[in-house]
Amino acid sequence: MNKQLENDLKQVDSLLEKVKWQGLDFLEKLSERPTSATPVSQTPETLNEDGLGGLNTLSLFNKRFEQLIVGSSGPRYLGFVTGGSTPAAIAGDWLATIFDQNTQTVKGQGDISAIIETGAIQLLLDLFGLPGGFLGGFVTGATMSNFTCLAVARQWVGRQSGKDFAREGVSGHIHILSAVPHSSVIKSLSMLGIGSNNFEKVKVEEGNRESIDPEDLESKIKALNGQPFILITSAGTVNTVDFDDFKAISKLKEKYNFWWHIDGAFGAFAACSPKYQHLVAGWENADSITVDCHKWLNVPYENAAFFVKEQHKILQTETFQNANAPYLGDPMENFSYLNFLPENSRRLRALPVWFTLKAYGKKGYRDIVENSVNMARLLGQFIEQSKAFDLLATVRLNNVCFTLSGEQNQDKVPVFLARLNETGKVFMTPTVYNGKKGIRASFVNWRTTEEDVQIVIDEMSKLTDNE
């Protein structure tokens, strides 16, 4: 054995102990950790011939890079719809790293960790109140979840006309309808060979909404004259968390032939609360659903789930099966995730999900969701009452979309946001809504309190008071 590896194995307890205490110190001081970092010049990396060993490498990392790590998992990091990590999720993720399973099958001798994955999927379906007729699995994020779902949808469209797109390649036009698709959906269309511009835009409802207008949708469906198509809908748009009318779409699905996909990256978690679960009423009739676990579920990156109706499992295996690997056997009799999603190699992403759901249960996630919404409304109330800011849309759930008051201040929005983020007390992201430059604050972190919102308000007020 290599001497450096042998030494590290002998003192692995010391190495992990140091990492443990450093991690605990980070978590304890997370609320005070800056939410932004100052860019630093990078020096070229060179590789030491013999290596430094684990402990010396940890010291080098702390000297060079530790100060660059921002508090993105903390309570005032409100950008990118970024969640934190619950204590139980951290425990599960650490164990997933230590166990280092390549999660694929529920029956194989070499690995049966997929039993944990199928169990975690059942827990998620239970959390969301979805029926057991969905086949689900874990991928890296919402982009890959949308990609997985839409890949099966693409195969469905082909089969409607007797074609096998997975084997033969895409031919002919694939009709897609959507109103406000997320950028990850657009990227998925590009990666799938469908084309990022290849969707017909459906009108949104009146009244400063981002939700599909059901009448315009049906009009566009009729214009297709019975041709199969993919409908991409939203369970929470990224700017204003608007939801499409799933009850109305369910009725349309009874009348017309289409694949219905729901992008519920973070909005799906409205189902956790009796106060907001009406927003997803009818979503159980969809063919596929995207959920991003490293957002409102508060597990570490990279973690998202896809749900595809089990009735489409043949289409799913046609899309993802490793057809040139004879040792796999019958993919339906010997279930392996290898044949149901894009990746051939995967870590045990289900473990932090299983840990956090078992640890905090339905009430824990109901509390997280309702607290996040309450915190968003607190910030929204401040903006409504302020002369310096305007809401760009009603605070519908957990996002606050706003701008500086006055058309003359539109060019100042990016400058204001940069200065706000430079305080290191809060981080928000820029957006454009209805042609206006805006700012978006997303509340999904389990740690966020009223005190945190007040700190954010104070920093915003300081900057506008000094104008």
PDB file of all heavy atoms in Angstrom, residues 10-31:
ATOM      1  N   LYS A  10      -4.193   4.808   9.117  1.00  0.00           N
ATOM      2  CA  LYS A  10      -3.874   4.624  10.538  1.00  0.00           C
ATOM      3  C   LYS A  10      -4.391   5.778  11.395  1.00  0.00           C
ATOM      4  O   LYS A  10      -4.736   5.594  12.559  1.00  0.00           O
ATOM      5  CB  LYS A  10      -2.365   4.471  10.720  1.00  0.00           C
ATOM      6  CG  LYS A  10      -1.803   3.152  10.203  1.00  0.00           C
ATOM      7  CD  LYS A  10      -0.290   3.110  10.362  1.00  0.00           C
ATOM      8  CE  LYS A  10       0.288   1.791   9.841  1.00  0.00           C
ATOM      9  NZ  LYS A  10       1.764   1.758   9.925  1.00  0.00           N
ATOM     10  N   GLN A  11      -4.402   6.973  10.828  1.00  0.00           N
ATOM     11  CA  GLN A  11      -4.833   8.135  11.611  1.00  0.00           C
ATOM     12  C   GLN A  11      -6.130   8.752  11.062  1.00  0.00           C
ATOM     13  O   GLN A  11      -6.367   9.948  11.205  1.00  0.00           O
ATOM     14  CB  GLN A  11      -3.737   9.187  11.655  1.00  0.00           C
ATOM     15  CG  GLN A  11      -3.215   9.646  10.306  1.00  0.00           C
ATOM     16  CD  GLN A  11      -2.029  10.588  10.438  1.00  0.00           C
ATOM     17  OE1 GLN A  11      -1.662  11.010  11.543  1.00  0.00           O
ATOM     18  NE2 GLN A  11      -1.434  10.948   9.317  1.00  0.00           N
ATOM     19  N   VAL A  12      -6.965   7.908  10.438  1.00  0.00           N
ATOM     20  CA  VAL A  12      -8.212   8.414   9.876  1.00  0.00           C
ATOM     21  C   VAL A  12      -9.118   8.983  10.965  1.00  0.00           C
ATOM     22  O   VAL A  12      -9.877   9.924  10.730  1.00  0.00           O
ATOM     23  CB  VAL A  12      -8.948   7.314   9.072  1.00  0.00           C
ATOM     24  CG1 VAL A  12      -9.476   6.215   9.976  1.00  0.00           C
ATOM     25  CG2 VAL A  12     -10.065   7.908   8.231  1.00  0.00           C
ATOM     26  N   ASP A  13      -9.027   8.433  12.193  1.00  0.00           N
ATOM     27  CA  ASP A  13      -9.835   8.969  13.283  1.00  0.00           C
ATOM     28  C   ASP A  13      -9.458  10.416  13.584  1.00  0.00           C
ATOM     29  O   ASP A  13     -10.322  11.265  13.824  1.00  0.00           O
ATOM     30  CB  ASP A  13      -9.713   8.096  14.532  1.00  0.00           C
ATOM     31  CG  ASP A  13      -8.276   7.909  14.991  1.00  0.00           C
ATOM     32  OD1 ASP A  13      -7.355   8.122  14.174  1.00  0.00           O
ATOM     33  OD2 ASP A  13      -8.083   7.543  16.170  1.00  0.00           O
ATOM     34  N   SER A  14      -8.154  10.728  13.567  1.00  0.00           N
ATOM     35  CA  SER A  14      -7.712  12.106  13.816  1.00  0.00           C
ATOM     36  C   SER A  14      -8.175  13.040  12.709  1.00  0.00           C
ATOM     37  O   SER A  14      -8.610  14.173  12.958  1.00  0.00           O
ATOM     38  CB  SER A  14      -6.185  12.159  13.924  1.00  0.00           C
ATOM     39  OG  SER A  14      -5.730  11.382  15.003  1.00  0.00           O
ATOM     40  N   LEU A  15      -8.078  12.557  11.470  1.00  0.00           N
ATOM     41  CA  LEU A  15      -8.502  13.373  10.329  1.00  0.00           C
ATOM     42  C   LEU A  15      -9.993  13.684  10.405  1.00  0.00           C
ATOM     43  O   LEU A  15     -10.411  14.848  10.285  1.00  0.00           O
ATOM     44  CB  LEU A  15      -8.170  12.644   9.027  1.00  0.00           C
ATOM     45  CG  LEU A  15      -8.633  13.315   7.724  1.00  0.00           C
ATOM     46  CD1 LEU A  15      -8.000  14.684   7.569  1.00  0.00           C
ATOM     47  CD2 LEU A  15      -8.302  12.427   6.523  1.00  0.00           C
ATOM     48  N   LEU A  16     -10.806  12.648  10.616  1.00  0.00           N
ATOM     49  CA  LEU A  16     -12.250  12.861  10.658  1.00  0.00           C
ATOM     50  C   LEU A  16     -12.663  13.640  11.898  1.00  0.00           C
ATOM     51  O   LEU A  16     -13.651  14.376  11.877  1.00  0.00           O
ATOM     52  CB  LEU A  16     -12.978  11.516  10.591  1.00  0.00           C
ATOM     53  CG  LEU A  16     -12.813  10.733   9.283  1.00  0.00           C
ATOM     54  CD1 LEU A  16     -13.659   9.466   9.303  1.00  0.00           C
ATOM     55  CD2 LEU A  16     -13.179  11.591   8.079  1.00  0.00           C
ATOM     56  N   GLU A  17     -11.909  13.485  12.993  1.00  0.00           N
ATOM     57  CA  GLU A  17     -12.218  14.258  14.206  1.00  0.00           C
ATOM     58  C   GLU A  17     -12.012  15.751  13.942  1.00  0.00           C
ATOM     59  O   GLU A  17     -12.826  16.583  14.356  1.00  0.00           O
ATOM     60  CB  GLU A  17     -11.329  13.780  15.353  1.00  0.00           C
ATOM     61  CG  GLU A  17     -11.682  14.372  16.717  1.00  0.00           C
ATOM     62  CD  GLU A  17     -12.961  13.814  17.318  1.00  0.00           C
ATOM     63  OE1 GLU A  17     -13.526  12.859  16.739  1.00  0.00           O
ATOM     64  OE2 GLU A  17     -13.410  14.343  18.341  1.00  0.00           O
ATOM     65  N   LYS A  18     -10.923  16.085  13.263  1.00  0.00           N
ATOM     66  CA  LYS A  18     -10.670  17.494  12.940  1.00  0.00           C
ATOM     67  C   LYS A  18     -11.752  18.046  12.014  1.00  0.00           C
ATOM     68  O   LYS A  18     -12.228  19.175  12.177  1.00  0.00           O
ATOM     69  CB  LYS A  18      -9.294  17.650  12.288  1.00  0.00           C
ATOM     70  CG  LYS A  18      -8.140  17.640  13.270  1.00  0.00           C
ATOM     71  CD  LYS A  18      -6.827  17.925  12.562  1.00  0.00           C
ATOM     72  CE  LYS A  18      -5.682  18.051  13.554  1.00  0.00           C
ATOM     73  NZ  LYS A  18      -5.788  19.262  14.394  1.00  0.00           N
ATOM     74  N   VAL A  19     -12.148  17.232  11.029  1.00  0.00           N
ATOM     75  CA  VAL A  19     -13.204  17.651  10.105  1.00  0.00           C
ATOM     76  C   VAL A  19     -14.518  17.824  10.859  1.00  0.00           C
ATOM     77  O   VAL A  19     -15.282  18.771  10.621  1.00  0.00           O
ATOM     78  CB  VAL A  19     -13.357  16.635   8.962  1.00  0.00           C
ATOM     79  CG1 VAL A  19     -14.591  16.937   8.134  1.00  0.00           C
ATOM     80  CG2 VAL A  19     -12.120  16.638   8.078  1.00  0.00           C
ATOM     81  N   LYS A  20     -14.784  16.905  11.795  1.00  0.00           N
ATOM     82  CA  LYS A  20     -16.014  17.001  12.593  1.00  0.00           C
ATOM     83  C   LYS A  20     -16.073  18.315  13.356  1.00  0.00           C
ATOM     84  O   LYS A  20     -17.080  19.037  13.295  1.00  0.00           O
ATOM     85  CB  LYS A  20     -16.104  15.835  13.573  1.00  0.00           C
ATOM     86  CG  LYS A  20     -17.385  15.852  14.414  1.00  0.00           C
ATOM     87  CD  LYS A  20     -17.359  14.825  15.537  1.00  0.00           C
ATOM     88  CE  LYS A  20     -16.603  15.362  16.740  1.00  0.00           C
ATOM     89  NZ  LYS A  20     -16.738  14.478  17.932  1.00  0.00           N
ATOM     90  N   TRP A  21     -14.998  18.646  14.051  1.00  0.00           N
ATOM     91  CA  TRP A  21     -15.011  19.869  14.864  1.00  0.00           C
ATOM     92  C   TRP A  21     -15.030  21.121  14.000  1.00  0.00           C
ATOM     93  O   TRP A  21     -15.646  22.128  14.364  1.00  0.00           O
ATOM     94  CB  TRP A  21     -13.827  19.875  15.829  1.00  0.00           C
ATOM     95  CG  TRP A  21     -14.024  18.914  16.960  1.00  0.00           C
ATOM     96  CD1 TRP A  21     -13.370  17.755  17.184  1.00  0.00           C
ATOM     97  CD2 TRP A  21     -15.017  19.034  17.998  1.00  0.00           C
ATOM     98  NE1 TRP A  21     -13.865  17.123  18.298  1.00  0.00           N
ATOM     99  CE2 TRP A  21     -14.885  17.887  18.826  1.00  0.00           C
ATOM    100  CE3 TRP A  21     -15.992  19.964  18.315  1.00  0.00           C
ATOM    101  CZ2 TRP A  21     -15.678  17.668  19.941  1.00  0.00           C
ATOM    102  CZ3 TRP A  21     -16.790  19.760  19.431  1.00  0.00           C
ATOM    103  CH2 TRP A  21     -16.635  18.615  20.218  1.00  0.00           C
ATOM    104  N   GLN A  22     -14.375  21.051  12.855  1.00  0.00           N
ATOM    105  CA  GLN A  22     -14.436  22.191  11.938  1.00  0.00           C
ATOM    106  C   GLN A  22     -15.846  22.353  11.403  1.00  0.00           C
ATOM    107  O   GLN A  22     -16.363  23.474  11.284  1.00  0.00           O
ATOM    108  CB  GLN A  22     -13.447  21.991  10.788  1.00  0.00           C
ATOM    109  CG  GLN A  22     -13.432  23.160   9.810  1.00  0.00           C
ATOM    110  CD  GLN A  22     -12.282  23.061   8.821  1.00  0.00           C
ATOM    111  OE1 GLN A  22     -11.206  22.543   9.141  1.00  0.00           O
ATOM    112  NE2 GLN A  22     -12.492  23.554   7.606  1.00  0.00           N
ATOM    113  N   GLY A  23     -16.491  21.230  11.082  1.00  0.00           N
ATOM    114  CA  GLY A  23     -17.869  21.287  10.608  1.00  0.00           C
ATOM    115  C   GLY A  23     -18.825  21.806  11.658  1.00  0.00           C
ATOM    116  O   GLY A  23     -19.718  22.613  11.361  1.00  0.00           O
ATOM    117  N   LEU A  24     -18.637  21.358  12.891  1.00  0.00           N
ATOM    118  CA  LEU A  24     -19.502  21.826  13.975  1.00  0.00           C
ATOM    119  C   LEU A  24     -19.324  23.324  14.209  1.00  0.00           C
ATOM    120  O   LEU A  24     -20.287  24.049  14.464  1.00  0.00           O
ATOM    121  CB  LEU A  24     -19.205  21.054  15.262  1.00  0.00           C
ATOM    122  CG  LEU A  24     -19.669  19.592  15.281  1.00  0.00           C
ATOM    123  CD1 LEU A  24     -19.156  18.891  16.536  1.00  0.00           C
ATOM    124  CD2 LEU A  24     -21.189  19.507  15.215  1.00  0.00           C
ATOM    125  N   ASP A  25     -18.076  23.785  14.119  1.00  0.00           N
ATOM    126  CA  ASP A  25     -17.811  25.217  14.279  1.00  0.00           C
ATOM    127  C   ASP A  25     -18.483  26.015  13.168  1.00  0.00           C
ATOM    128  O   ASP A  25     -19.060  27.081  13.407  1.00  0.00           O
ATOM    129  CB  ASP A  25     -16.296  25.457  14.267  1.00  0.00           C
ATOM    130  CG  ASP A  25     -15.943  26.913  14.507  1.00  0.00           C
ATOM    131  OD1 ASP A  25     -16.198  27.407  15.628  1.00  0.00           O
ATOM    132  OD2 ASP A  25     -15.425  27.562  13.581  1.00  0.00           O
ATOM    133  N   PHE A  26     -18.440  25.490  11.946  1.00  0.00           N
ATOM    134  CA  PHE A  26     -19.103  26.144  10.809  1.00  0.00           C
ATOM    135  C   PHE A  26     -20.607  26.241  11.053  1.00  0.00           C
ATOM    136  O   PHE A  26     -21.215  27.306  10.860  1.00  0.00           O
ATOM    137  CB  PHE A  26     -18.814  25.355   9.529  1.00  0.00           C
ATOM    138  CG  PHE A  26     -19.491  25.909   8.303  1.00  0.00           C
ATOM    139  CD1 PHE A  26     -18.895  26.893   7.551  1.00  0.00           C
ATOM    140  CD2 PHE A  26     -20.737  25.434   7.901  1.00  0.00           C
ATOM    141  CE1 PHE A  26     -19.511  27.410   6.409  1.00  0.00           C
ATOM    142  CE2 PHE A  26     -21.367  25.939   6.779  1.00  0.00           C
ATOM    143  CZ  PHE A  26     -20.745  26.930   6.027  1.00  0.00           C
ATOM    144  N   LEU A  27     -21.216  25.145  11.470  1.00  0.00           N
ATOM    145  CA  LEU A  27     -22.662  25.137  11.698  1.00  0.00           C
ATOM    146  C   LEU A  27     -23.055  26.058  12.845  1.00  0.00           C
ATOM    147  O   LEU A  27     -24.072  26.757  12.782  1.00  0.00           O
ATOM    148  CB  LEU A  27     -23.141  23.713  11.975  1.00  0.00           C
ATOM    149  CG  LEU A  27     -23.046  22.734  10.795  1.00  0.00           C
ATOM    150  CD1 LEU A  27     -23.394  21.319  11.256  1.00  0.00           C
ATOM    151  CD2 LEU A  27     -23.960  23.152   9.655  1.00  0.00           C
ATOM    152  N   GLU A  28     -22.241  26.073  13.889  1.00  0.00           N
ATOM    153  CA  GLU A  28     -22.554  26.912  15.054  1.00  0.00           C
ATOM    154  C   GLU A  28     -22.509  28.391  14.705  1.00  0.00           C
ATOM    155  O   GLU A  28     -23.287  29.195  15.215  1.00  0.00           O
ATOM    156  CB  GLU A  28     -21.564  26.609  16.171  1.00  0.00           C
ATOM    157  CG  GLU A  28     -21.842  27.365  17.463  1.00  0.00           C
ATOM    158  CD  GLU A  28     -20.851  27.044  18.572  1.00  0.00           C
ATOM    159  OE1 GLU A  28     -20.115  26.044  18.435  1.00  0.00           O
ATOM    160  OE2 GLU A  28     -20.800  27.797  19.555  1.00  0.00           O
ATOM    161  N   LYS A  29     -21.610  28.762  13.797  1.00  0.00           N
ATOM    162  CA  LYS A  29     -21.425  30.167  13.448  1.00  0.00           C
ATOM    163  C   LYS A  29     -22.017  30.511  12.081  1.00  0.00           C
ATOM    164  O   LYS A  29     -21.737  31.569  11.527  1.00  0.00           O
ATOM    165  CB  LYS A  29     -19.934  30.507  13.458  1.00  0.00           C
ATOM    166  CG  LYS A  29     -19.274  30.308  14.816  1.00  0.00           C
ATOM    167  CD  LYS A  29     -17.777  30.519  14.734  1.00  0.00           C
ATOM    168  CE  LYS A  29     -17.114  30.276  16.087  1.00  0.00           C
ATOM    169  NZ  LYS A  29     -15.635  30.381  15.995  1.00  0.00           N
ATOM    170  N   LEU A  30     -22.865  29.623  11.565  1.00  0.00           N
ATOM    171  CA  LEU A  30     -23.388  29.796  10.209  1.00  0.00           C
ATOM    172  C   LEU A  30     -24.170  31.094  10.042  1.00  0.00           C
ATOM    173  O   LEU A  30     -24.094  31.756   9.010  1.00  0.00           O
ATOM    174  CB  LEU A  30     -24.270  28.595   9.841  1.00  0.00           C
ATOM    175  CG  LEU A  30     -24.861  28.557   8.429  1.00  0.00           C
ATOM    176  CD1 LEU A  30     -23.769  28.705   7.378  1.00  0.00           C
ATOM    177  CD2 LEU A  30     -25.627  27.263   8.215  1.00  0.00           C
ATOM    178  N   SER A  31     -24.924  31.475  11.069  1.00  0.00           N
ATOM    179  CA  SER A  31     -25.728  32.706  10.977  1.00  0.00           C
ATOM    180  C   SER A  31     -24.859  33.944  10.831  1.00  0.00           C
ATOM    181  O   SER A  31     -25.296  34.965  10.293  1.00  0.00           O
ATOM    182  CB  SER A  31     -26.629  32.842  12.208  1.00  0.00           C
ATOM    183  OG  SER A  31     -27.594  31.824  12.224  1.00  0.00           O
TER     184      SER A  31
END
